[in-house]
Amino acid sequence: KNEVEQSPQNLTAQEGEFITINCSYSVGISALHWLQQHPGGGIVSLFMLSSGKKKHGRLIATINIQEKHSSLHITASHPRDSAVYICAALMEYGNKLVFGAGTILRVKS
Amino acid sequence: DTAVSQTPKYLVTQMGNDKSIKCEQNLGHDTMYWYKQDSKKFLKIMFSYNNKELIINETVPNRFSPKSPDKAHLNLHINSLELGDSAVYFCASSQDRFRGSYEQYFGPGTRLTVT
């Protein structure tokens, strides 16, 4: 069992829908990253958070340290949001990221 | 101006060959990483260097040897390439952990195909 689990694995949404992707982890972490990988392959860091909530445009990331759970929300989804979203936990000791398997998001117009 | 660059972007080679992938960052970061993304798109860390010193060395065959000539560069050399080495290799960098910033910046990836 992976130390970082994401759900769902695949998600198809209609344009305009509110989207939630979940991430759970089983180890002590110092921060959690949300990454986006577009079909072209490049990886972009969306958020890094260690507590609470962060917002950037239509994207919102939250983390609950006690429950070892984080969520990524996309409001008013758009076809250009179609990508793989990857959750990655920064281990408490050392500077090592452990990745979830990713969520493949497809937003249809 | 590209923050983290990798060369080459694509690499097709035969089994048994030796090849290198180069990575450079112009962000002034102290820590650099190599990740492997397999055919199922799963990312896994291979190595990490901090100020030219190896700090993370995951269970990777010793055919893979990272080299960091200075803190802006981290190259990956692979000897005796095998079919299972086919993957996308990503380089990344971040500021040193003791400065409190862990956000990682990724290169564009190198798609290695071993035939």
Side-chain angles (χ1 to χ4, degrees), chain A residues 58-84:
Chain A
R58 294 180 296 106
L59 301 177
I60 303 165
T62 63
I63 189 167
N64 184 319
I65 296 293
Q66 285 73 29
E67 294 185 5
K68 296 189 174 179
H69 181 268
S70 176
S71 293
L72 176 69
H73 304 286
I74 305 175
T75 62
S77 59
H78 190 275
R80 65 174 174 266
D81 297 326
S82 298
V84 178

PDB file of all heavy atoms in Angstrom, chain A residues 58-84:
ATOM      1  N   ARG A  58      -9.098  29.813  -9.394  1.00  0.00           N
ATOM      2  CA  ARG A  58     -10.211  28.883  -9.179  1.00  0.00           C
ATOM      3  C   ARG A  58      -9.793  27.637  -8.413  1.00  0.00           C
ATOM      4  O   ARG A  58     -10.605  26.730  -8.209  1.00  0.00           O
ATOM      5  CB  ARG A  58     -10.779  28.487 -10.558  1.00  0.00           C
ATOM      6  CG  ARG A  58     -11.435  29.627 -11.320  1.00  0.00           C
ATOM      7  CD  ARG A  58     -11.969  29.179 -12.681  1.00  0.00           C
ATOM      8  NE  ARG A  58     -10.905  28.752 -13.576  1.00  0.00           N
ATOM      9  CZ  ARG A  58     -10.654  27.486 -13.889  1.00  0.00           C
ATOM     10  NH1 ARG A  58     -11.381  26.512 -13.379  1.00  0.00           N
ATOM     11  NH2 ARG A  58      -9.669  27.187 -14.714  1.00  0.00           N
ATOM     12  N   LEU A  59      -8.568  27.567  -8.011  1.00  0.00           N
ATOM     13  CA  LEU A  59      -8.061  26.398  -7.290  1.00  0.00           C
ATOM     14  C   LEU A  59      -7.964  26.682  -5.793  1.00  0.00           C
ATOM     15  O   LEU A  59      -7.522  27.758  -5.388  1.00  0.00           O
ATOM     16  CB  LEU A  59      -6.671  26.015  -7.809  1.00  0.00           C
ATOM     17  CG  LEU A  59      -6.553  25.683  -9.295  1.00  0.00           C
ATOM     18  CD1 LEU A  59      -5.106  25.399  -9.660  1.00  0.00           C
ATOM     19  CD2 LEU A  59      -7.416  24.499  -9.649  1.00  0.00           C
ATOM     20  N   ILE A  60      -8.394  25.700  -5.019  1.00  0.00           N
ATOM     21  CA  ILE A  60      -8.324  25.794  -3.561  1.00  0.00           C
ATOM     22  C   ILE A  60      -7.748  24.485  -3.045  1.00  0.00           C
ATOM     23  O   ILE A  60      -8.180  23.407  -3.461  1.00  0.00           O
ATOM     24  CB  ILE A  60      -9.721  25.996  -2.930  1.00  0.00           C
ATOM     25  CG1 ILE A  60     -10.390  27.240  -3.514  1.00  0.00           C
ATOM     26  CG2 ILE A  60      -9.614  26.107  -1.410  1.00  0.00           C
ATOM     27  CD1 ILE A  60     -11.880  27.310  -3.225  1.00  0.00           C
ATOM     28  N   ALA A  61      -6.779  24.578  -2.142  1.00  0.00           N
ATOM     29  CA  ALA A  61      -6.226  23.376  -1.513  1.00  0.00           C
ATOM     30  C   ALA A  61      -6.389  23.505  -0.009  1.00  0.00           C
ATOM     31  O   ALA A  61      -6.173  24.573   0.562  1.00  0.00           O
ATOM     32  CB  ALA A  61      -4.762  23.200  -1.874  1.00  0.00           C
ATOM     33  N   THR A  62      -6.792  22.396   0.609  1.00  0.00           N
ATOM     34  CA  THR A  62      -6.941  22.371   2.063  1.00  0.00           C
ATOM     35  C   THR A  62      -6.190  21.168   2.608  1.00  0.00           C
ATOM     36  O   THR A  62      -5.963  20.182   1.912  1.00  0.00           O
ATOM     37  CB  THR A  62      -8.417  22.249   2.475  1.00  0.00           C
ATOM     38  OG1 THR A  62      -8.934  20.994   1.982  1.00  0.00           O
ATOM     39  CG2 THR A  62      -9.248  23.382   1.895  1.00  0.00           C
ATOM     40  N   ILE A  63      -5.808  21.280   3.872  1.00  0.00           N
ATOM     41  CA  ILE A  63      -5.155  20.152   4.521  1.00  0.00           C
ATOM     42  C   ILE A  63      -5.613  20.067   5.968  1.00  0.00           C
ATOM     43  O   ILE A  63      -5.776  21.094   6.637  1.00  0.00           O
ATOM     44  CB  ILE A  63      -3.613  20.248   4.423  1.00  0.00           C
ATOM     45  CG1 ILE A  63      -2.963  18.950   4.924  1.00  0.00           C
ATOM     46  CG2 ILE A  63      -3.072  21.465   5.168  1.00  0.00           C
ATOM     47  CD1 ILE A  63      -1.485  18.832   4.573  1.00  0.00           C
ATOM     48  N   ASN A  64      -5.835  18.827   6.429  1.00  0.00           N
ATOM     49  CA  ASN A  64      -6.174  18.566   7.823  1.00  0.00           C
ATOM     50  C   ASN A  64      -5.084  17.638   8.354  1.00  0.00           C
ATOM     51  O   ASN A  64      -5.069  16.448   8.056  1.00  0.00           O
ATOM     52  CB  ASN A  64      -7.559  17.913   7.934  1.00  0.00           C
ATOM     53  CG  ASN A  64      -7.984  17.719   9.381  1.00  0.00           C
ATOM     54  OD1 ASN A  64      -7.175  17.336  10.232  1.00  0.00           O
ATOM     55  ND2 ASN A  64      -9.247  17.996   9.667  1.00  0.00           N
ATOM     56  N   ILE A  65      -4.174  18.218   9.132  1.00  0.00           N
ATOM     57  CA  ILE A  65      -3.013  17.465   9.588  1.00  0.00           C
ATOM     58  C   ILE A  65      -3.425  16.308  10.511  1.00  0.00           C
ATOM     59  O   ILE A  65      -2.876  15.211  10.424  1.00  0.00           O
ATOM     60  CB  ILE A  65      -2.020  18.402  10.319  1.00  0.00           C
ATOM     61  CG1 ILE A  65      -1.471  19.460   9.362  1.00  0.00           C
ATOM     62  CG2 ILE A  65      -0.880  17.604  10.947  1.00  0.00           C
ATOM     63  CD1 ILE A  65      -0.594  18.926   8.255  1.00  0.00           C
ATOM     64  N   GLN A  66      -4.413  16.559  11.386  1.00  0.00           N
ATOM     65  CA  GLN A  66      -4.834  15.526  12.335  1.00  0.00           C
ATOM     66  C   GLN A  66      -5.412  14.325  11.603  1.00  0.00           C
ATOM     67  O   GLN A  66      -5.161  13.184  11.970  1.00  0.00           O
ATOM     68  CB  GLN A  66      -5.876  16.075  13.316  1.00  0.00           C
ATOM     69  CG  GLN A  66      -5.311  16.994  14.390  1.00  0.00           C
ATOM     70  CD  GLN A  66      -4.926  18.352  13.843  1.00  0.00           C
ATOM     71  OE1 GLN A  66      -5.514  18.824  12.863  1.00  0.00           O
ATOM     72  NE2 GLN A  66      -3.952  18.980  14.458  1.00  0.00           N
ATOM     73  N   GLU A  67      -6.189  14.598  10.553  1.00  0.00           N
ATOM     74  CA  GLU A  67      -6.821  13.511   9.812  1.00  0.00           C
ATOM     75  C   GLU A  67      -5.934  12.992   8.688  1.00  0.00           C
ATOM     76  O   GLU A  67      -6.310  12.051   7.985  1.00  0.00           O
ATOM     77  CB  GLU A  67      -8.162  13.971   9.250  1.00  0.00           C
ATOM     78  CG  GLU A  67      -9.192  14.267  10.330  1.00  0.00           C
ATOM     79  CD  GLU A  67     -10.560  14.608   9.750  1.00  0.00           C
ATOM     80  OE1 GLU A  67     -10.735  14.527   8.522  1.00  0.00           O
ATOM     81  OE2 GLU A  67     -11.432  14.973  10.559  1.00  0.00           O
ATOM     82  N   LYS A  68      -4.793  13.605   8.476  1.00  0.00           N
ATOM     83  CA  LYS A  68      -3.862  13.214   7.415  1.00  0.00           C
ATOM     84  C   LYS A  68      -4.575  13.174   6.060  1.00  0.00           C
ATOM     85  O   LYS A  68      -4.541  12.170   5.330  1.00  0.00           O
ATOM     86  CB  LYS A  68      -3.204  11.862   7.734  1.00  0.00           C
ATOM     87  CG  LYS A  68      -2.335  11.924   8.977  1.00  0.00           C
ATOM     88  CD  LYS A  68      -1.510  10.667   9.179  1.00  0.00           C
ATOM     89  CE  LYS A  68      -0.573  10.878  10.354  1.00  0.00           C
ATOM     90  NZ  LYS A  68       0.262   9.700  10.644  1.00  0.00           N
ATOM     91  N   HIS A  69      -5.171  14.291   5.741  1.00  0.00           N
ATOM     92  CA  HIS A  69      -5.983  14.356   4.532  1.00  0.00           C
ATOM     93  C   HIS A  69      -5.892  15.748   3.917  1.00  0.00           C
ATOM     94  O   HIS A  69      -5.855  16.758   4.616  1.00  0.00           O
ATOM     95  CB  HIS A  69      -7.449  14.047   4.890  1.00  0.00           C
ATOM     96  CG  HIS A  69      -8.351  14.065   3.711  1.00  0.00           C
ATOM     97  ND1 HIS A  69      -9.026  15.187   3.301  1.00  0.00           N
ATOM     98  CD2 HIS A  69      -8.689  13.091   2.832  1.00  0.00           C
ATOM     99  CE1 HIS A  69      -9.721  14.913   2.217  1.00  0.00           C
ATOM    100  NE2 HIS A  69      -9.550  13.642   1.923  1.00  0.00           N
ATOM    101  N   SER A  70      -5.839  15.766   2.586  1.00  0.00           N
ATOM    102  CA  SER A  70      -5.836  17.028   1.856  1.00  0.00           C
ATOM    103  C   SER A  70      -6.797  16.925   0.685  1.00  0.00           C
ATOM    104  O   SER A  70      -7.040  15.824   0.165  1.00  0.00           O
ATOM    105  CB  SER A  70      -4.428  17.346   1.350  1.00  0.00           C
ATOM    106  OG  SER A  70      -4.405  18.522   0.565  1.00  0.00           O
ATOM    107  N   SER A  71      -7.350  18.051   0.303  1.00  0.00           N
ATOM    108  CA  SER A  71      -8.230  18.087  -0.867  1.00  0.00           C
ATOM    109  C   SER A  71      -7.814  19.215  -1.790  1.00  0.00           C
ATOM    110  O   SER A  71      -7.344  20.267  -1.333  1.00  0.00           O
ATOM    111  CB  SER A  71      -9.687  18.308  -0.457  1.00  0.00           C
ATOM    112  OG  SER A  71     -10.191  17.206   0.245  1.00  0.00           O
ATOM    113  N   LEU A  72      -8.012  18.974  -3.068  1.00  0.00           N
ATOM    114  CA  LEU A  72      -7.833  20.013  -4.089  1.00  0.00           C
ATOM    115  C   LEU A  72      -9.198  20.232  -4.726  1.00  0.00           C
ATOM    116  O   LEU A  72      -9.834  19.278  -5.173  1.00  0.00           O
ATOM    117  CB  LEU A  72      -6.823  19.571  -5.145  1.00  0.00           C
ATOM    118  CG  LEU A  72      -6.618  20.525  -6.320  1.00  0.00           C
ATOM    119  CD1 LEU A  72      -5.917  21.802  -5.850  1.00  0.00           C
ATOM    120  CD2 LEU A  72      -5.791  19.868  -7.427  1.00  0.00           C
ATOM    121  N   HIS A  73      -9.627  21.485  -4.724  1.00  0.00           N
ATOM    122  CA  HIS A  73     -10.913  21.820  -5.315  1.00  0.00           C
ATOM    123  C   HIS A  73     -10.688  22.722  -6.533  1.00  0.00           C
ATOM    124  O   HIS A  73      -9.822  23.603  -6.508  1.00  0.00           O
ATOM    125  CB  HIS A  73     -11.791  22.584  -4.311  1.00  0.00           C
ATOM    126  CG  HIS A  73     -11.998  21.870  -3.025  1.00  0.00           C
ATOM    127  ND1 HIS A  73     -12.817  20.775  -2.893  1.00  0.00           N
ATOM    128  CD2 HIS A  73     -11.469  22.105  -1.789  1.00  0.00           C
ATOM    129  CE1 HIS A  73     -12.797  20.365  -1.638  1.00  0.00           C
ATOM    130  NE2 HIS A  73     -11.988  21.152  -0.941  1.00  0.00           N
ATOM    131  N   ILE A  74     -11.492  22.495  -7.540  1.00  0.00           N
ATOM    132  CA  ILE A  74     -11.497  23.380  -8.714  1.00  0.00           C
ATOM    133  C   ILE A  74     -12.920  23.895  -8.872  1.00  0.00           C
ATOM    134  O   ILE A  74     -13.866  23.100  -9.017  1.00  0.00           O
ATOM    135  CB  ILE A  74     -11.059  22.652 -10.003  1.00  0.00           C
ATOM    136  CG1 ILE A  74      -9.693  21.984  -9.808  1.00  0.00           C
ATOM    137  CG2 ILE A  74     -11.010  23.636 -11.174  1.00  0.00           C
ATOM    138  CD1 ILE A  74      -9.248  21.137 -10.998  1.00  0.00           C
ATOM    139  N   THR A  75     -13.071  25.205  -8.806  1.00  0.00           N
ATOM    140  CA  THR A  75     -14.399  25.790  -9.001  1.00  0.00           C
ATOM    141  C   THR A  75     -14.563  26.184 -10.470  1.00  0.00           C
ATOM    142  O   THR A  75     -13.583  26.488 -11.153  1.00  0.00           O
ATOM    143  CB  THR A  75     -14.586  27.032  -8.120  1.00  0.00           C
ATOM    144  OG1 THR A  75     -13.613  28.012  -8.504  1.00  0.00           O
ATOM    145  CG2 THR A  75     -14.385  26.703  -6.649  1.00  0.00           C
ATOM    146  N   ALA A  76     -15.808  26.127 -10.946  1.00  0.00           N
ATOM    147  CA  ALA A  76     -16.125  26.520 -12.325  1.00  0.00           C
ATOM    148  C   ALA A  76     -15.143  25.885 -13.308  1.00  0.00           C
ATOM    149  O   ALA A  76     -14.443  26.570 -14.062  1.00  0.00           O
ATOM    150  CB  ALA A  76     -16.116  28.039 -12.460  1.00  0.00           C
ATOM    151  N   SER A  77     -15.085  24.560 -13.297  1.00  0.00           N
ATOM    152  CA  SER A  77     -14.078  23.846 -14.088  1.00  0.00           C
ATOM    153  C   SER A  77     -14.220  24.153 -15.584  1.00  0.00           C
ATOM    154  O   SER A  77     -15.295  24.474 -16.101  1.00  0.00           O
ATOM    155  CB  SER A  77     -14.198  22.347 -13.848  1.00  0.00           C
ATOM    156  OG  SER A  77     -15.492  21.888 -14.207  1.00  0.00           O
ATOM    157  N   HIS A  78     -13.081  24.046 -16.260  1.00  0.00           N
ATOM    158  CA  HIS A  78     -12.975  24.399 -17.675  1.00  0.00           C
ATOM    159  C   HIS A  78     -12.181  23.296 -18.370  1.00  0.00           C
ATOM    160  O   HIS A  78     -11.319  22.672 -17.747  1.00  0.00           O
ATOM    161  CB  HIS A  78     -12.241  25.749 -17.781  1.00  0.00           C
ATOM    162  CG  HIS A  78     -12.265  26.328 -19.149  1.00  0.00           C
ATOM    163  ND1 HIS A  78     -11.348  25.976 -20.115  1.00  0.00           N
ATOM    164  CD2 HIS A  78     -13.092  27.240 -19.712  1.00  0.00           C
ATOM    165  CE1 HIS A  78     -11.617  26.640 -21.221  1.00  0.00           C
ATOM    166  NE2 HIS A  78     -12.670  27.420 -21.005  1.00  0.00           N
ATOM    167  N   PRO A  79     -12.447  23.066 -19.663  1.00  0.00           N
ATOM    168  CA  PRO A  79     -11.679  22.029 -20.374  1.00  0.00           C
ATOM    169  C   PRO A  79     -10.165  22.177 -20.246  1.00  0.00           C
ATOM    170  O   PRO A  79      -9.437  21.189 -20.232  1.00  0.00           O
ATOM    171  CB  PRO A  79     -12.140  22.176 -21.831  1.00  0.00           C
ATOM    172  CG  PRO A  79     -13.550  22.652 -21.700  1.00  0.00           C
ATOM    173  CD  PRO A  79     -13.557  23.568 -20.502  1.00  0.00           C
ATOM    174  N   ARG A  80      -9.673  23.399 -20.112  1.00  0.00           N
ATOM    175  CA  ARG A  80      -8.214  23.568 -19.974  1.00  0.00           C
ATOM    176  C   ARG A  80      -7.691  23.056 -18.629  1.00  0.00           C
ATOM    177  O   ARG A  80      -6.479  22.954 -18.431  1.00  0.00           O
ATOM    178  CB  ARG A  80      -7.805  25.019 -20.165  1.00  0.00           C
ATOM    179  CG  ARG A  80      -8.320  25.962 -19.121  1.00  0.00           C
ATOM    180  CD  ARG A  80      -7.737  27.369 -19.311  1.00  0.00           C
ATOM    181  NE  ARG A  80      -8.348  28.319 -18.379  1.00  0.00           N
ATOM    182  CZ  ARG A  80      -9.392  29.078 -18.668  1.00  0.00           C
ATOM    183  NH1 ARG A  80      -9.932  29.033 -19.881  1.00  0.00           N
ATOM    184  NH2 ARG A  80      -9.900  29.906 -17.768  1.00  0.00           N
ATOM    185  N   ASP A  81      -8.606  22.745 -17.693  1.00  0.00           N
ATOM    186  CA  ASP A  81      -8.184  22.137 -16.426  1.00  0.00           C
ATOM    187  C   ASP A  81      -7.874  20.654 -16.588  1.00  0.00           C
ATOM    188  O   ASP A  81      -7.367  20.013 -15.659  1.00  0.00           O
ATOM    189  CB  ASP A  81      -9.270  22.293 -15.349  1.00  0.00           C
ATOM    190  CG  ASP A  81      -9.557  23.745 -15.010  1.00  0.00           C
ATOM    191  OD1 ASP A  81      -8.602  24.564 -15.042  1.00  0.00           O
ATOM    192  OD2 ASP A  81     -10.726  24.066 -14.738  1.00  0.00           O
ATOM    193  N   SER A  82      -8.190  20.092 -17.742  1.00  0.00           N
ATOM    194  CA  SER A  82      -7.944  18.664 -17.982  1.00  0.00           C
ATOM    195  C   SER A  82      -6.451  18.387 -17.877  1.00  0.00           C
ATOM    196  O   SER A  82      -5.636  18.993 -18.581  1.00  0.00           O
ATOM    197  CB  SER A  82      -8.461  18.260 -19.366  1.00  0.00           C
ATOM    198  OG  SER A  82      -9.844  18.459 -19.463  1.00  0.00           O
ATOM    199  N   ALA A  83      -6.115  17.495 -16.973  1.00  0.00           N
ATOM    200  CA  ALA A  83      -4.707  17.205 -16.676  1.00  0.00           C
ATOM    201  C   ALA A  83      -4.673  16.077 -15.649  1.00  0.00           C
ATOM    202  O   ALA A  83      -5.709  15.606 -15.197  1.00  0.00           O
ATOM    203  CB  ALA A  83      -4.003  18.438 -16.105  1.00  0.00           C
ATOM    204  N   VAL A  84      -3.470  15.681 -15.284  1.00  0.00           N
ATOM    205  CA  VAL A  84      -3.295  14.763 -14.156  1.00  0.00           C
ATOM    206  C   VAL A  84      -2.907  15.596 -12.946  1.00  0.00           C
ATOM    207  O   VAL A  84      -1.994  16.434 -13.027  1.00  0.00           O
ATOM    208  CB  VAL A  84      -2.207  13.708 -14.441  1.00  0.00           C
ATOM    209  CG1 VAL A  84      -2.024  12.793 -13.227  1.00  0.00           C
ATOM    210  CG2 VAL A  84      -2.565  12.895 -15.676  1.00  0.00           C
TER     211      VAL A  84
END
